[in-house]
């Protein structure tokens, strides 16, 4: 009888020890990990500020060319309708041609020698002849053919050789072409005009060549 009681007590102790072990294991399993606090990263990528695009005052650049071209041109025809051609870009740099065209149209409308062909009429004539609106292969012969289709007697042809920068002025040439003969009636290049620095220093001598 005593042996049976001893076995019972030993079994009860073993059961209690096993229960304590299981309770401790479950408690360890339910333990939550420590919460990590994310610190701000000072080594992140810094955004580059947007690049400032240099604005070019094409009206100021082109104005002396227009004045000299108009004043030095001798016209023998009563038809003074003139086509402003697309810009021939020989600078090797990207050129915002629409800004130059806008300046040319504004300046040419301010003079009283020529009548400028409307831009809408030019666009329609280009479609008829199959010339792209943003045609990069600008040539005198193509612009003369376009002028003939509109019955314009003259073409204002502009070539840009160097765009203006902080260290250099614009280099360009402007030509008055005859639609009938194809010849260059008048040509004005950058070398024919006073430099901007000279004109600022001596404002009274800007139009000396036109007097």
């Amino acid at each position: 009888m005593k042996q049976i009681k001893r076995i019972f007590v030993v079994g009860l102790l073993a059961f209690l020890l096993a229960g304590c072990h299981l309770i401790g294991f479950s408690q360890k399993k339910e333990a939550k990990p420590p919460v990590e606090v994310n610190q701000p990263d000072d080594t992140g990528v810094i955004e580059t500020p947007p690049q400032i695009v240099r604005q070019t005052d094409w009206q100021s650049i082109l104005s002396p060319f227009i004045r000299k071209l108009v004043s030095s041109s001798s016209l023998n025809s009563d038809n003074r309708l003139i086509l402003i051609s697309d810009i021939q870009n020989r600078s090797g740099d990207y050129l915002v041609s629409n800004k130059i065209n806008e300046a040319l149209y504004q300046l040419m409308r301010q003079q009283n020698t020529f009548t400028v062909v409307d831009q809408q009429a030019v666009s329609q004539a280009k479609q008829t002849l199959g010339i792209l609106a943003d045609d990069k292969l600008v040539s005198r012969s193509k612009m003369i053919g376009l002028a003939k289709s509109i019955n314009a007697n003259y073409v204002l042809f502009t070539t840009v050789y160097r765009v203006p920068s902080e260290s250099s002025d614009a280099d360009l040439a402007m030509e008055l072409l005859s639609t009938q003969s194809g010849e260059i009636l008048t040509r004005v290049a950058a070398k024919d005009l006073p430099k901007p620095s000279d004109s600022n220093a001596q404002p009274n001598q800007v139009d000396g060549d036109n007097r």
Side-chain angles (χ1 to χ4, degrees), residues 7-25:
I7 294 173
F8 177 77
V9 172
V10 172
L12 182 61
L13 291 174
F15 178 77
L16 291 174
L17 290 174
C20 292
H21 177 73
L22 291 174
I23 292 173
F25 180 76

Side-chain angles (χ1 to χ4, degrees), residues 43-167:
T43 61
V45 178
I46 301 176
E47 293 185 1
T48 304
Q51 186 176 4
I52 299 175
V53 179
R54 184 174 184 269
Q55 299 294 330
T56 301
D57 186 1
W58 283 107
Q59 280 207 5
S60 298
I61 294 174
L62 299 173
S63 181
F65 288 85
I66 295 291
R67 288 200 304 268
K68 189 171 182 62
L69 185 97
V70 172
S71 63
S72 58
S73 298
S74 56
L75 308 178
N76 299 322
S77 173
D78 294 333
N79 178 359
R80 297 190 176 184
L81 189 63
I82 187 169
L83 168 74
I84 297 178
S85 79
D86 296 338
I87 305 301
Q88 187 180 60
N89 183 14
R90 291 190 176 179
S91 67
D93 297 321
Y94 175 74
L95 195 65
V96 186
S97 299
N98 61 326
K99 295 294 184 181
I100 305 178
N101 284 329
E102 182 181 346
L104 282 174
Y105 273 94
Q106 290 181 2
L107 291 170
M108 287 299 292
R109 289 192 183 109
Q110 295 172 5
Q111 51 80 45
N112 300 318
T113 303
F114 297 96
T115 302
V116 181
V117 177
D118 185 72
Q119 287 177 287
Q120 185 175 358
V122 174
S123 299
Q124 293 175 352
K126 283 184 176 181
Q127 292 180 359
T128 303
L129 298 178
I131 300 176
L132 298 176
D134 57 346
D135 185 21
K136 305 301 181 185
L137 302 177
V138 181
S139 65
R140 293 174 181 81
S141 59
K142 187 182 295 185
M143 292 297 105
I144 288 174
L146 182 62
K148 285 182 178 180
S149 69
I150 308 175
N151 196 30
N153 220 24
Y154 301 96
V155 175
L156 178 64
F157 193 84
T158 304
T159 304
V160 176
Y161 298 101
R162 185 179 63 238
V163 295
S165 64
E166 295 181 356
S167 58

